[in-house]
Amino acid sequence: MKKIYLSEVDSTNLYAKSNIENLADKSIVHAANQTAGRGRLQRTWVNLGEGNLFLTFVLKPSNSFNEVYSNLTQYLSVVLCKILEEYGLKPQIKWPNDVLINGKKIAGILSETVMQGSLFKGLVLGIGVNLNTSEKDLASVIDKEATSLNLEISKLVDVNLFLDKLAEEFFADYDNFLQKGFELIKNDYISRTCFLDTEICVQVFNDKKCGIAKAINDKGELVMSNNQKEFVLTIGDIL
Ligand code: BTN
């Protein structure tokens, strides 16, 4: 696995996308500081400064897109949960891939497909984890309640050690995951999911879908029901 270290970049995902031709499959791009982090659904990822993790996995598994690639964000959320559990924490996954501790967001994951015309070039799978942040800086994250690993364990966290562990655990089962798909992690994912069997509303682009979150199906989609009618969501943001 090749590691590219940048002291500062606009976004590790953008860097990986722009340089995908020159980056090997399974490389990782790590920045100490990220000035224009990208988030899901056109949001930004607030820069909480050095001491936090800004990382992108560069993945070039094949020459054409496969459905299973859409589940890589969920695979990464499970990998992260298992690492956080080693710190004695009880992380939860808010569908599709936000990782929370005590209801507060500690990490965000964003996968982007890289195309050149109609050619599939690969994926950039970015993850930001709040590792060392002050309460004061966290207050600048206004859209959601957030937390940071150092605050949860009352200890500073070694960013490089955390990164190495995350990359090692990610690649340990990555090839297997590409073969088997979401079903490989379904139980691990569901056992950490919050909001199942509760009434929720999900923002889906400009639409709001409300109902009971019934299940996560074999494709990692959210199955909901409203007035006895079932429907399935593939994308969205639980409000
Ligand atoms: C989200 O929760 O909205 C996803 C946030 C993803 C942030 C990470 S930080 C590293 C990588 N580079 C980016 O620009 N975004 C991802």
Side-chain angles (χ1 to χ4, degrees):
M1 169 186 57
K2 186 148 187 250
K3 266 195 227 173
I4 289 103
Y5 172 77
L6 306 165
S7 52
E8 186 167 293
V9 72
D10 48 1
S11 148
T12 53
N13 269 27
L14 270 186
Y15 178 93
K17 283 205 301 190
S18 322
N19 293 285
I20 195 138
E21 291 284 12
N22 307 318
L23 294 168
D25 178 30
K26 301 186 182 173
S27 355
I28 58 177
V29 179
H30 168 215
N33 231 317
Q34 183 175 252
T35 54
R38 294 154 69 83
R40 285 180 65 235
L41 310 172
Q42 318 301 328
R43 287 190 292 247
T44 54
W45 182 250
V46 178
N47 177 21
L48 292 170
E50 284 191 29
N52 296 292
L53 187 68
F54 309 107
L55 175 74
T56 295
F57 293 94
V58 179
L59 306 170
K60 297 159 114 174
S62 68
N63 294 327
S64 57
F65 187 80
N66 185 306
E67 256 198 354
V68 70
Y69 304 156
S70 322
N71 296 112
L72 276 164
T73 58
Q74 290 168 309
Y75 170 70
L76 181 53
S77 69
V78 169
V79 169
L80 177 64
C81 283
K82 289 184 176 173
I83 294 175
L84 293 172
E85 283 158 10
E86 290 173 20
Y87 288 86
L89 300 173
K90 258 189 127 305
Q92 287 192 301
I93 300 172
K94 182 178 158 199
W95 182 87
N97 52 51
D98 276 351
V99 176
L100 315 177
I101 305 276
N102 296 322
K104 298 178 188 172
K105 181 157 163 163
I106 193 166
I109 296 172
L110 172 70
S111 174
E112 299 182 76
T113 305
V114 190
M115 303 291 294
Q116 208 174 66
S118 58
L119 292 181
F120 172 74
K121 289 287 161 184
L123 305 154
V124 298
L125 177 61
I127 176 164
V129 189
N130 302 335
L131 293 181
N132 296 290
T133 306
S134 65
E135 299 267 15
K136 185 170 157 275
D137 285 350
L138 275 178
S140 63
V141 183
I142 44 164
D143 58 332
K144 288 197 176 118
E145 266 208 292
T147 189
S148 179
L149 184 51
N150 64 308
L151 299 175
E152 297 295 333
I153 61 171
S154 306
K155 243 198 277 180
L156 282 179
V157 178
D158 185 319
V159 181
N160 287 310
L161 279 183
F162 193 93
L163 181 155
D164 286 346
K165 180 115 193 104
L166 186 70
E168 189 187 316
E169 297 290 317
F170 178 82
F171 285 118
D173 237 3
Y174 167 75
D175 292 321
N176 197 15
F177 179 76
L178 292 185
Q179 293 293 317
K180 306 224 170 83
F182 185 74
E183 285 187 66
L184 180 77
I185 56 155
K186 189 175 176 191
N187 290 341
D188 281 340
Y189 182 90
I190 290 177
S191 62
R192 292 169 176 87
T193 310
C194 46
F195 298 113
L196 278 186
D197 295 322
T198 64
E199 202 159 342
I200 56 168
C201 287
V202 183
Q203 189 76 42
V204 186
F205 301 111
N206 290 329
D207 211 2
K208 205 165 152 189
K209 308 267 188 198
C210 297
I212 311 259
K214 299 287 280 184
I216 303 291
N217 68 17
D218 287 350
K219 291 177 170 178
E221 299 161 334
L222 180 63
V223 182
M224 301 212 6
S225 85
N226 193 337
N227 288 331
Q228 328 293 329
K229 280 208 185 107
E230 279 207 347
F231 56 96
V232 171
L233 298 181
T234 52
I235 190 168
D237 203 22
I238 298 178
L239 298 168

